[in-house]
Amino acid sequence: MLYLRIMTVALLTAPAAMAQDDLSAMFGKDSVRRDGVTSTFKSTRIINGQSNETLAKGDLDFRVAHRFGDIGGSDGGSKTFFGMDNSTDIRIAFEYGITDRLTAGISRSKGSGSLSQLYEVLGKLKVLQQTHDNRIPVGVTLFGNAVVTGMKSAAEEEEPSYFGNFSHRMTYTGQAIITRKFGNALSLAVLPTYIHRNRVAFMDVNDMFALGIGGRLRFSNRVALVVDYFLPFREQASKDYFAERGVKFYNPLGVGVEIDTGGHIFHLNFTNSTAILENQFIPETTSTWRNGQFRWGFNISRRFSLAK
Amino acid sequence: MKSILTGLGLMLCCAYVCSCSSEKAPEPSNSACDTMVINSARIYAVIQMNCTNHSCHPGGGAPVVADFSSLAKLKSYINANHSTFALRVTGPNADMPQSQSFPALPRAVRDSIACWVEKGMPD
């Protein structure tokens, strides 16, 4: 009888024990997180280029970006305190998170290049978010802006800053930001970019494609190395024409340190591009690292939560 | 809220497309530098009006690197920084004078300055 009871108890508890095993196995499988990868980059900019990050719903981001003069070369050195006496571009922006995936913003830049006094309207939409289980292996964010210059028109039609009508003042950027975060330390981005400028100088190009790459390597919870580089595709005839006139175009390269101070994301960076907006630094960079024509710059971001 | 955002998005897209155009500036006319007679006084008057009158290149203040407070200093700068001067003052995408509501130099003026430099900055 005792044997029968033991057998009964064993038979009744066996499925439960087996079920426990199965549950453990299932737990093991489900330990792979299925949620979205966050903080691929800490800021909405890598250095010059955009990152995949958008603002959280209701967040207002106040941004200040500054690029100083050449550190070396004929315009740099100790006489300008390594470029700090000059500023090539300054941008002040307000960006707002309409939803967690959609950011809109406005900005004013000094401008550097053939156009100055730039007013920008921008939008950024997170289309795909990378997931931890690799169901979605990359994040995709779309960025677009429209920029208008408020500068006075040049008197001569040969100038790129001659504005026969309002549309001549406009330039645009369209960009896809494809990103992947590898573990906690490394994030990479590829940025196929299209720039359209309504009016350009003779032999310059209205439409320009460029390919950007960027990355972030985290050293600690607060400090990371950030890099971005753009390869603009300019027609050879255009390059030759400008080269004959002493103007050579270079590819923008930015290298910097990103510091998360808690409320601020602070970028200390070095770049050869003088301009801050894509509409200018991609098609119009004429300064090169080799001649000491790189500069110190910073991006400061301060976020305010306006959501209740 | 969604319909407002959709409407706003559509309006922006329409404005984006409608305001798009593609135009290139005409080829700059080849001013005959060989026959042009330009003296230093004329060029320096242009420099004073556009570069030093706004306290930008007088020396002593920022930016100190390009000091145009006298004709001799202007010539000295150009001799030492020929390519930078060409790029930023007389080239096709010249960006001087910068911002602050100063008008861009007309092409004819840029050509005259380039011609003066090319001829060795005669007095």
Side-chain angles (χ1 to χ4, degrees):
Chain A
M1 191 62 186
L2 182 65
Y3 177 74
L4 190 64
R5 278 182 186 173
I6 291 169
M7 282 293 288
T8 308
V9 169
L11 281 169
L12 285 172
T13 53
M18 281 165 68
Q20 190 62 54
D21 283 350
D22 286 346
L23 196 60
S24 305
M26 278 167 64
F27 245 168
K29 260 187 188 172
D30 266 8
S31 65
V32 176
R33 293 171 59 190
R34 294 184 186 280
D35 56 331
V37 172
T38 56
S39 301
T40 307
F41 290 88
K42 269 284 182 185
S43 174
T44 54
R45 302 292 187 289
I46 303 175
I47 292 178
N48 295 312
Q50 300 281 335
S51 78
N52 67 319
E53 301 297 338
T54 51
L55 298 173
K57 184 179 178 181
D59 272 9
L60 177 72
D61 190 13
F62 172 62
R63 302 186 65 86
V64 179
H66 195 110
R67 301 286 182 269
F68 289 99
D70 293 355
I71 284 179
S74 58
D75 281 355
S78 58
K79 59 186 177 290
T80 60
F81 201 67
F82 306 96
M84 286 183 68
D85 286 344
N86 301 331
S87 70
T88 56
D89 205 354
I90 303 161
R91 176 178 182 264
I92 294 176
F94 289 95
E95 297 174 9
Y96 181 72
I98 296 169
T99 70
D100 286 343
R101 286 175 175 261
L102 178 64
T103 295
I106 51 172
S107 82
R108 167 61 157 82
S109 303
K110 174 175 173 274
S112 176
S114 53
L115 303 180
S116 58
Q117 301 175 41
L118 307 177
Y119 297 88
E120 177 195 28
V121 178
L122 66 91
K124 202 169 175 184
L125 178 66
K126 193 179 276 185
V127 180
L128 284 178
Q129 187 169 15
Q130 182 189 344
T131 56
H132 282 103
D133 63 356
N134 272 331
R135 197 165 34 89
I136 304 174
V138 293
V140 178
T141 302
L142 302 178
F143 167 78
N145 76 8
V147 174
V148 62
T149 168
M151 72 187 286
K152 192 177 172 186
S153 172
E156 315 238 335
E157 216 178 328
E158 291 87 353
E159 293 294 320
S161 55
Y162 172 84
F163 311 119
N165 58 55
F166 184 79
S167 75
H168 289 166
R169 295 175 173 275
M170 304 287 296
T171 59
Y172 310 90
T173 302
Q175 190 172 61
I177 304 138
I178 303 161
T179 56
R180 181 167 169 83
K181 189 175 182 181
F182 300 88
N184 277 330
L186 179 67
S187 302
L188 295 178
V190 178
L191 302 99
T193 307
Y194 166 72
I195 306 285
H196 177 81
R197 295 174 293 165
N198 278 354
R199 192 173 193 280
V200 292
F202 180 72
M203 285 301 285
D204 205 343
V205 289
N206 293 101
D207 299 287
M208 179 180 276
F209 286 94
L211 186 66
I213 51 171
R216 174 174 180 265
L217 183 62
R218 209 176 75 157
F219 293 125
S220 71
N221 280 342
R222 295 200 177 275
V223 182
L225 172 76
V226 279
V227 178
D228 65 14
Y229 175 79
F230 280 85
L231 178 66
F233 299 105
R234 177 181 283 272
E235 293 163 13
Q236 191 59 45
S238 173
K239 283 183 191 172
D240 294 344
Y241 175 83
F242 282 97
E244 282 170 18
R245 283 149 187 82
V247 179
K248 196 171 175 193
F249 295 100
Y250 295 94
N251 304 337
L253 167 68
V255 181
V257 177
E258 183 182 79
I259 304 162
D260 182 355
T261 61
H264 298 72
I265 303 294
F266 191 67
H267 275 178
L268 288 172
N269 55 57
F270 296 92
T271 172
N272 61 319
S273 64
T274 54
I276 293 171
L277 293 182
E278 286 80 357
N279 312 48
Q280 290 197 311
F281 79 73
I282 291 176
E284 293 186 45
T285 293
T286 52
S287 38
T288 170
W289 280 78
R290 285 184 190 171
N291 297 342
Q293 294 166 334
F294 59 94
R295 68 217 64 262
W296 178 43
F298 59 77
N299 300 333
I300 302 175
S301 159
R302 183 71 175 97
R303 290 184 188 180
F304 304 92
S305 184
L306 304 184
K308 285 181 182 174
Chain B
M1 184 66 179
K2 265 190 178 175
S3 57
I4 294 171
L5 284 176
T6 311
L8 196 65
L10 282 172
M11 277 171 62
L12 281 173
C13 286
C14 289
Y16 192 92
V17 172
C18 293
S19 61
C20 244
S21 64
S22 286
E23 192 176 310
K24 282 188 173 62
E27 185 172 10
S29 52
N30 274 334
S31 45
C33 186
D34 294 344
T35 55
M36 208 182 273
V37 180
I38 310 166
N39 57 36
S40 292
R42 185 180 152 198
I43 295 300
Y44 193 60
V46 171
I47 296 292
Q48 280 181 313
M49 187 186 296
N50 295 283
C51 312
T52 64
N53 266 9
H54 305 292
S55 305
C56 288
H57 291 280
V64 293
V65 67
D67 180 357
F68 302 157
S69 57
S70 69
L71 178 61
K73 284 180 178 173
L74 171 69
K75 286 184 177 181
S76 160
Y77 177 83
I78 294 172
N79 281 327
N81 306 282
H82 191 272
S83 59
T84 304
F85 190 82
L87 180 72
R88 305 197 64 181
V89 181
T90 60
N93 276 341
D95 65 347
M96 288 288 173
Q98 285 209 333
S99 195
Q100 296 147 358
S101 301
F102 306 151
L105 289 178
R107 168 51 49 196
V109 173
R110 291 182 196 277
D111 287 346
S112 298
I113 298 172
C115 184
W116 176 68
V117 173
E118 197 178 302
K119 286 184 168 180
M121 299 180 275
D123 288 333

